[in-house]
Amino acid sequence: MSADKRLPVTEETRKELHELKEPGQTYDDLLKELAQQRRRQDLEQRFQQLEEADSDELTPLSDV
């Protein structure tokens, strides 16, 4: 696998990524994993917002 692009990062960020990386794991794999975790967090947050909005707008069945 050859690298297609370079991603400039600070030395601090490179060190943090290196600490997160498992032995044998590529930086590409690590970044994919981090991106997937972020998408999941964003989706969970969106569902939470929708649940909160629904609960504010809906009338409980006991009030009908």
Side-chain angles (χ1 to χ4, degrees):
M1 173 193 286
S2 65
D4 297 332
K5 301 284 182 186
R6 291 186 181 264
L7 300 173
V9 296
T10 64
E11 184 61 23
E12 181 182 342
T13 299
R14 189 202 63 78
K15 286 179 182 178
E16 288 185 48
L17 289 171
H18 183 74
E19 290 175 7
L20 291 172
K21 194 168 78 69
E22 299 291 331
Q25 184 181 32
T26 65
Y27 283 104
D28 186 62
D29 290 340
L30 173 63
L31 292 170
K32 284 179 189 177
E33 181 182 319
L34 292 172
Q36 184 179 35
Q37 288 176 3
R38 174 62 184 266
R39 284 191 302 273
R40 284 182 182 156
Q41 288 175 344
D42 290 349
L43 186 59
E44 288 175 8
Q45 182 180 11
R46 181 67 181 134
F47 277 128
Q48 182 70 31
Q49 290 170 345
L50 289 172
E51 285 180 349
E52 290 170 1
D54 285 347
S55 66
D56 292 341
E57 296 174 10
L58 298 177
T59 303
L61 287 175
S62 59
D63 292 348
V64 176

